[in-house]
DNA sequence: TATTGTTATACTCTATAACTATA
DNA sequence: TATAGTTATAGAGTATAACAATA
């Protein structure tokens, strides 16, 4: 059967299988990680990422810097920062250098939370992801996914649809 | 409280790197896939999965069967099925064999939507995931992640909190 | 004018529990 | 009693656009 208007070759079974199992495995992992963070720290994965980043860098970050790598919209980060601030895990304050920016810093409580939650977090990852893998597997995965990641990061965003001109939108 | 305090060894840099790059890459991929499906079909990834599954199997499924593999709560599936039905992409009807179950079937429109969206879907996956990989890489990823997936599936759910570990966990 | 961040708002999705009805 | 599914509802998260303040 001819696929698509531009003759896009279909994925062969190997590719399909790799794609499905990759997303399925990561999805399962993410779910378990979310559960652990929620149970032991009462925070979401995103909140953990923000706290861990601030705790690791050991200096305040601007909202924009904090958003980098965490794909949020600005308003999304404002929302999350608001939650964390209300919980006493971060503080927000003005910058002496640029009156437009807000500096975000971890509090002692925030730091303590990260440290309390981290062992369980590591345990989940180790148990689910690394236990069934050899050192060789580990390096393969890291190498391969690094290439994929770098490739994606250099790709043009291209968020627009390549075709879609013919049919009316669904429903 | 110190919950995971069994002397959990920290992840070494190799492990941490592998974990981060794996989740980051998949996260980027999922985002792009969502964009494509939304732009070209007006549906979410979950909705696409449900439609694709029904279209592939070519026979109606019960709500419970349809939920399998898509980790939803029943109510979540009811919600999604309601959206798809309202959009004319699936139908829901009674089963002649068991009056408790609801049979879900794809409509012609639903099938057409899957076919319209699939080439772009494949294109995104190929461009982002497979382009930077060799055949060898592909098989490595599939093999490794299959082991991880199978390992996770056989792990006890362990959704409960690690506190109360002294007491009998059953109910 | 461009940038930083907030707010207002609307929407999507998910989870829980109560409920109906069948088996 | 157990199972299939729906509903009601509440909550988390996200996205967009309008906005104010500063560079």
């Amino acid at each position: 059967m001819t696929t698509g208007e531009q003759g896009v070759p279909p994925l062969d079974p190997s590719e399909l299988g790799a794609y499905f199992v990759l997303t399925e495995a990561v999805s399962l992992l993410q779910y378990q990680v979310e559960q652990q963070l929620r149970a032991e720290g009462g925070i979401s994965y995103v909140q953990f990422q923000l706290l861990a980043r601030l705790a690791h860098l050991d200096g305040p970050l601007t909202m924009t810097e904090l958003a980098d790598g965490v794909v949020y919209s600005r308003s999304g980060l404002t929302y999350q920062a608001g939650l964390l601030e209300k919980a006493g895990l971060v503080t927000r304050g003005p910058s002496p250098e640029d009156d437009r920016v807000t500096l975000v810093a971890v509090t002692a409580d925030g730091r303590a939370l990260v440290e309390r939650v981290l062992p369980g977090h590591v345990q989940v990852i180790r148990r689910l992801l690394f236990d069934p893998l050899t050192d060789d597997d580990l390096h393969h995965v890291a190498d391969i996914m690094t290439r994929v990641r770098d490739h994606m990061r250099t790709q043009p965003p291209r968020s627009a649809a390549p075709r879609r001109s013919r049919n009316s939108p669904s429903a």
Side-chain angles (χ1 to χ4, degrees), chain A:
Chain A
M1 69 181 181
T2 53
T3 44
E5 297 117 23
Q6 299 185 355
V8 181
L11 295 175
D12 66 51
S14 285
E15 290 176 321
L16 257 188
Y19 167 56
F20 283 144
V21 80
L22 177 66
T23 55
E24 182 187 359
V26 172
S27 177
L28 287 168
L29 178 62
Q30 282 173 339
Y31 180 76
Q32 296 294 344
V33 165
E34 284 272 353
Q35 295 297 108
Q36 181 266 326
L37 291 174
R38 186 67 68 186
E40 292 184 35
I43 54 174
S44 68
Y45 184 54
V46 178
Q47 289 160 359
F48 172 73
Q49 282 182 302
L50 296 174
L51 287 178
R53 181 146 184 227
L54 288 170
H56 177 67
L57 293 182
D58 203 49
L61 291 176
T62 70
M63 293 292 282
T64 302
E65 289 165 345
L66 190 54
D68 281 356
V70 189
V71 209
Y72 281 109
S73 57
R74 287 187 189 290
S75 68
L77 181 58
T78 297
Y79 170 74
Q80 291 294 345
L83 292 182
L84 293 175
E85 189 179 38
K86 196 155 50 180
L89 302 172
V90 308
T91 57
R92 278 186 290 187
S95 162
E97 302 190 353
D98 188 332
D99 276 349
R100 292 174 305 179
V101 318
T102 297
L103 291 180
V104 188
V106 217
T107 64
D109 278 2
R111 221 176 277 275
L113 178 57
V114 170
E115 277 161 30
R116 193 174 86 233
V117 158
L118 198 54
H121 184 67
V122 165
Q123 209 171 22
V124 168
I125 296 162
R126 190 190 301 289
R127 182 168 59 89
L128 294 181
L129 179 60
F130 294 130
D131 272 5
L133 299 186
T134 67
D135 278 3
D136 231 39
D137 292 332
L138 192 67
H139 292 114
H140 272 305
V141 170
D143 167 58
I144 292 172
M145 296 315 289
T146 298
R147 257 180 293 143
V148 172
R149 191 267 319 265
D150 292 345
H151 176 71
M152 287 188 198
R153 289 283 188 203
T154 59
Q155 284 285 106
R158 222 191 138 187
S159 48
R163 51 182 86 75
R164 164 212 205 192
S165 43
R166 210 53 67 92
N167 272 326
S168 57
S170 70

